[in-house]
Amino acid sequence: MNEARDIALIDELRALPAETSWVEFKGNNTDPEMIGKRCSALSNSACIEGRDCAYMLWGIEDGSHAVVGTTFNPDSQKVNGQVLQLWLANRLQPSTAFSFRIANPSQGRVVLLEIPAATGAPVAFNNIAYIRIGSATPKLTDYPERYRQLIECMQPYRWEQGIARKYATGDEVLALLDYSQYFRLTKQPLPDNRAGIFDRLEADRLIVRDVGDRWNITNLGAILFATRLGNFDASLARKAVRFVAYSGNNRAAGVTHRHDSQNGYAAGFEGLASYLNDLLPKNEHIGAALREAHPLFPELAIRELVANALIHQDMTVTGAGPQIELFGDRIEITNPGRPLVKPDRMIDLPPRSRNEVLASLMRRMGMCEEQGSGLDKVIASVEVFQLPPPLFRADGNSTQVVLYGPRSFAEMTPEERVRACYFHAVLKFLSGDKMKNASLCARLGIDPKNASQATGVINNTLTAGLIRIADPDHPRAGYVPHWA
């Protein structure tokens, strides 16, 4: 941790008019039981006050906030033969990533204890949760109104709100983030001064204020607008999108193209989409006078599926990021994390995202469809191109979508025909209609004279339990999804 930042933080905390419910000053009182109780109380109080962290400082006089120095050494202090920090860690529940740091401002030595605010549950010491009220540290259960307030304030950890770079200068922020792309994509005029730029970036939580006129760049800001993800921690850099194209239909074939994106998702999305479109295979059709190239895969489907992979990935899975693989007969788009809804219900249920702020901002920038409509359009475009149905699957700790190249009805597998029938029934239902034999013939490219083939697919889909007759009393009324 940067000592200059810690000194600036100490100066900012000393400038407070008095101790608060999330800041406490100490001289040389190092009683471990006191420290444990304060950790619990300060963490819970910081949550109520909307602070990210709480602090205890040794070497600061309580009344005047003058630096008087301290002899306290948290690294050497032991409790019953156990190192203080390990002793504390074993007695705080849930586990809390507190940290002791030593700073040496000119006036004397200061020990800083930083305690993250409570998130998933109240922080307890020896199974008792405490709260800070004035200078007192009572049990949280003795103040039910504070307990209710704490529960209301606690939110689960949001990766987007984490910090990718601490204590950055204004110049570093402008160099690390492609702020011009942010203003262009959000359709805002670029301010003519730095203060205006920082105000807008802060409003969208791409940066947050640190101490000493410095800034923290959030994970959200970095993953969307990094000029180069490699400038951040390796765990963030590995979230970059990777593209690999093979010369055949499996990974044993030679690699023809490889592209590891260096930009943040928003800053590099248009370039990635253009790169993919240039590589995707195309058919040539001769028109009245000119040859026209038509893509084998719907561009809208590719764009939406890539955007979904970025939005819905589990950012807490380390060492992995979104991957796009192009084979001779298909495209596979994979992202870390199992889906939050069942794969066969992705098309109709409202999407659930682990990264709601990321998703909202990407939709605002027009990088994906409005919530709940994206996959509908993917399936609809696949039907227009008369492609085999996409395959949505959860594989280990990842989610994968496979988009297949053109194949005739005769070349589709029985499973693909059933899946196409189910998706077609879903689209019809979502548009207020019902699937019928004739509409399925059109979807699968079956000649109406061979409608019995569509009937066979419908019967197999009924047997699989994916669709049902809309009105048992009128079997010709059509079919709807099993959940309708």
Side-chain angles (χ1 to χ4, degrees):
M1 182 60 67
N2 188 323
E3 186 176 8
R5 178 188 181 274
D6 283 344
I7 292 174
L9 173 60
I10 290 167
D11 289 341
E12 196 166 280
L13 296 176
R14 288 175 54 218
L16 293 169
E19 284 186 336
T20 70
S21 61
W22 50 277
V23 177
E24 183 165 347
F25 300 112
K26 292 292 178 187
N28 277 305
N29 184 348
T30 60
D31 175 58
E33 292 283 336
M34 178 277 297
I35 295 174
K37 290 179 181 180
R38 294 300 194 279
C39 282
S40 167
L42 291 168
S43 177
N44 294 330
S45 297
C47 177
I48 291 175
E49 295 296 325
R51 310 294 303 193
D52 291 330
C53 293
Y55 303 94
M56 284 186 68
L57 297 95
W58 285 263
I60 307 294
E61 190 174 61
D62 188 7
S64 66
H65 295 183
V67 177
V68 295
T70 181
T71 59
F72 174 38
N73 188 343
D75 293 328
S76 61
Q77 179 142 342
K78 293 187 176 182
V79 186
N80 300 326
Q82 195 172 47
V83 175
L84 171 64
Q85 297 185 49
L86 179 60
W87 182 86
L88 278 175
N90 290 336
R91 285 159 176 78
L92 291 172
Q93 308 92 19
S95 179
T96 304
F98 62 84
S99 65
F100 285 95
R101 301 197 293 273
I102 297 172
N104 293 282
S106 58
Q107 305 97 316
R109 182 174 178 275
V110 174
V111 174
L112 171 72
L113 171 56
E114 184 176 85
I115 312 146
T119 52
V123 173
F125 173 68
N126 284 338
N127 298 313
I128 299 173
Y130 295 89
I131 194 70
R132 189 88 169 137
I133 300 178
S135 59
T137 309
K139 294 179 181 179
L140 179 61
T141 52
D142 292 342
Y143 292 83
E145 74 285 355
R146 298 290 179 104
Y147 181 82
R148 285 193 297 270
Q149 189 177 5
L150 176 61
I151 296 301
E152 290 173 1
C153 291
M154 280 192 301
Q155 296 293 328
Y157 170 73
R158 295 293 184 190
W159 181 89
E160 302 143 307
Q161 298 170 5
I163 302 302
R165 175 66 64 89
K166 274 191 172 183
Y167 201 58
T169 65
D171 287 343
E172 287 173 330
V173 169
L174 298 183
L176 291 168
L177 299 184
D178 193 342
Y179 63 93
S180 62
Q181 283 283 64
Y182 162 76
F183 285 98
R184 184 180 69 83
L185 292 170
T186 56
K187 298 179 176 60
Q188 300 179 79
L190 180 64
D192 57 6
N193 59 77
R194 288 162 63 103
I197 293 173
F198 293 143
D199 284 346
R200 294 312 309 158
L201 296 179
E202 185 181 21
D204 269 326
R205 300 287 292 177
L206 305 180
I207 60 175
V208 294
R209 292 184 184 276
D210 200 349
V211 296
D213 296 322
R214 299 290 187 103
W215 297 91
N216 294 331
I217 299 175
T218 64
N219 287 334
L220 177 67
I223 201 65
L224 282 178
F225 293 104
T227 53
R228 188 174 183 275
L229 284 168
N231 290 332
F232 293 89
D233 184 82
S235 63
L236 191 69
R238 292 192 183 101
K239 300 298 178 189
V241 181
R242 172 170 294 182
F243 171 81
V244 183
Y246 300 92
S247 59
N249 292 342
N250 57 58
R251 292 176 182 83
V255 174
T256 61
H257 295 83
R258 186 187 299 273
H259 176 72
D260 293 323
S261 178
Q262 297 298 317
N263 306 106
Y265 294 164
F269 190 77
E270 291 174 325
L272 175 64
S274 177
Y275 179 82
L276 291 176
N277 288 335
D278 289 343
L279 283 182
L280 293 178
K282 296 176 175 63
N283 274 336
E284 278 198 342
H285 295 270
I286 300 177
L290 302 173
R291 290 180 180 271
E292 296 179 350
H294 295 278
L296 295 186
F297 299 100
E299 291 183 14
L300 181 151
I302 299 295
R303 181 184 179 92
E304 186 65 28
L305 291 175
V306 170
N308 271 356
L310 304 183
I311 289 171
H312 297 298
Q313 66 180 300
D314 185 347
M315 296 292 191
T316 65
V317 176
T318 58
Q323 181 163 291
I324 307 165
E325 296 175 287
L326 175 62
F327 299 89
D329 62 343
R330 68 193 186 281
I331 298 174
E332 295 185 2
I333 301 171
T334 308
N335 63 266
R338 294 181 66 82
L340 297 179
V341 297
K342 293 181 179 179
D344 66 336
R345 299 300 304 276
M346 287 182 179
I347 184 176
D348 66 287
L349 288 177
R352 292 174 57 200
S353 176
R354 300 175 176 90
N355 314 298
E356 289 295 348
V357 180
L358 173 69
S360 175
L361 191 49
M362 286 182 68
R363 280 193 289 269
R364 211 174 98 206
M365 294 185 292
M367 294 170 61
C368 54
E369 294 291 331
E370 288 302 315
Q371 189 166 7
S373 66
L375 289 184
D376 303 0
K377 290 182 171 62
V378 169
I379 301 298
S381 64
V382 165
E383 290 203 353
V384 170
F385 276 60
Q386 289 196 333
L387 301 178
L391 175 63
F392 302 93
R393 64 187 175 198
D395 185 12
N397 197 25
S398 64
T399 302
Q400 188 174 76
V401 181
V402 184
L403 193 61
Y404 296 97
R407 270 187 281 125
S408 67
F409 172 74
E411 294 170 320
M412 287 188 198
T413 66
E415 292 78 12
E416 288 173 337
R417 295 172 185 176
V418 167
R419 196 164 65 248
C421 179
Y422 170 65
F423 285 160
H424 182 62
V426 172
L427 285 184
K428 284 291 186 182
F429 179 77
L430 294 178
S431 62
D433 201 356
K434 299 177 182 63
M435 181 186 73
K436 295 184 179 179
N437 188 292
S439 69
L440 186 61
C441 283
R443 157 64 184 104
L444 296 174
I446 298 173
D447 190 316
K449 292 184 292 185
N450 299 320
S452 60
Q453 293 178 325
T455 302
V457 173
I458 289 173
N459 288 337
N460 289 339
T461 312
L462 285 167
T463 300
L466 294 174
I467 60 172
R468 63 177 178 82
I469 298 172
D471 184 351
D473 295 329
H474 301 87
R476 294 182 179 275
Y479 305 86
V480 295
H482 66 92
W483 42 262

